[in-house]
Amino acid sequence: MKLAKIALAGSVALGLVPAVSGTAAAHPIKNRTLTDNRLYGAGPLPATDCRERPVKKADARSAKVYLNEILNCLNRSWTAELKQAGLKQSRVKLTYATKPPAKFCGSKWGDWDAYYCDASRTILIVLRKDLLEEPGDLYLFNLLASKYGEHVQNVTGIYRAWFNTDYRSKAELHEQTRRYSLQSYCFAGASLRSFWKSFRRDREDWDDLLYYLRGWAGKYDGNRKSITYWANEGFKSGDPGTCNPWTAPSSKVA
């Protein structure tokens, strides 16, 4: 069973969290970059023809070919979406390793399979052998798509707005971080919907992916129910406008 942990850009992994404010009222969140971002009104991601190239078991080379093609698809789909929203796209750099690095993006590497560096706009994916034991599922796709979701959060200003939001307690910080994390999962679900027809997958593949995603549950990622809800919201609609956890009640981001 894959129980990969994917690091959030900056923030928790680096210990870079905003200072506690004794006076600022951070809840409910009122920053319109978070709650009313222009991205939310752009409509569903365009249906995009995307080819899934075969990945051989324990073969990093074929995994790279697969992921490079997925990145091209993500760029096409999200560039059109951001243009529709009147927002500028910025290409992300995708790099690979077969062993975890000691440090990346100024942080000591944790128990992660992937990391998005907001400063350099770079995704690093560690293609360990255990990650490629069952490469025919959607796990590799989602690993990249969720990191790309963080890139979208970065270029739309969501990352910086979240980072600068005050909080009154650790519990509130954890909730804000869950909102951020759950949004990237929702964006990944919307990406998958935009490619779904060309992937020629069936519902069982999506259900298997949800099974793996629920293994990421935690205080920074959300519980199993919240992860399932937001991933499904993106996948069902294909619309980033449904991926707005910043105005959702706390029960939806627990």
Side-chain angles (χ1 to χ4, degrees), residues 127-246:
L127 296 172
R128 301 192 310 257
K129 288 184 178 180
D130 59 343
L131 184 65
L132 302 176
E133 287 179 354
E134 299 177 24
D137 56 31
L138 286 166
Y139 189 84
L140 274 179
F141 168 86
N142 193 77
L143 190 64
L144 176 55
S146 59
K147 293 292 95 182
Y148 199 96
E150 287 190 47
H151 177 63
V152 171
Q153 289 173 306
N154 193 11
V155 299
T156 57
I158 290 170
Y159 166 72
R160 183 53 54 185
W162 161 68
F163 186 85
N164 289 331
T165 299
D166 291 315
Y167 60 93
R168 299 166 297 183
S169 65
K170 286 186 177 180
E172 189 169 355
L173 170 62
H174 295 163
E175 181 176 297
Q176 291 172 3
T177 305
R178 289 194 298 272
R179 291 178 190 273
Y180 181 81
S181 181
L182 291 165
Q183 185 172 48
S184 70
Y185 297 162
C186 188
F187 285 167
S191 295
L192 181 57
R193 173 54 64 186
S194 74
F195 309 145
W196 189 250
K197 186 175 181 179
S198 61
F199 274 13
R200 297 177 181 174
R201 297 271 189 166
D202 56 36
R203 179 70 191 197
E204 184 178 353
D205 292 303
W206 173 245
D207 291 340
D208 287 345
L209 179 58
L210 286 178
Y211 172 77
Y212 293 137
L213 283 175
R214 285 190 283 266
W216 293 353
K219 65 182 177 181
Y220 297 125
D221 293 280
N223 61 27
R224 292 164 63 89
K225 184 176 180 180
S226 293
I227 290 173
T228 301
Y229 174 80
W230 288 104
N232 265 322
E233 283 295 288
F235 180 66
K236 288 187 299 183
S237 68
D239 188 347
T242 66
C243 300
N244 183 5
W246 305 103

Side-chain angles (χ1 to χ4, degrees), residues 11-12 56 70 78 121 127 174 221 230-231 239:
S11 67
V12 178
K56 299 177 183 178
I70 296 300
W78 281 100
R121 301 191 173 185
L127 296 172
H174 295 163
D221 293 280
W230 288 104
D239 188 347

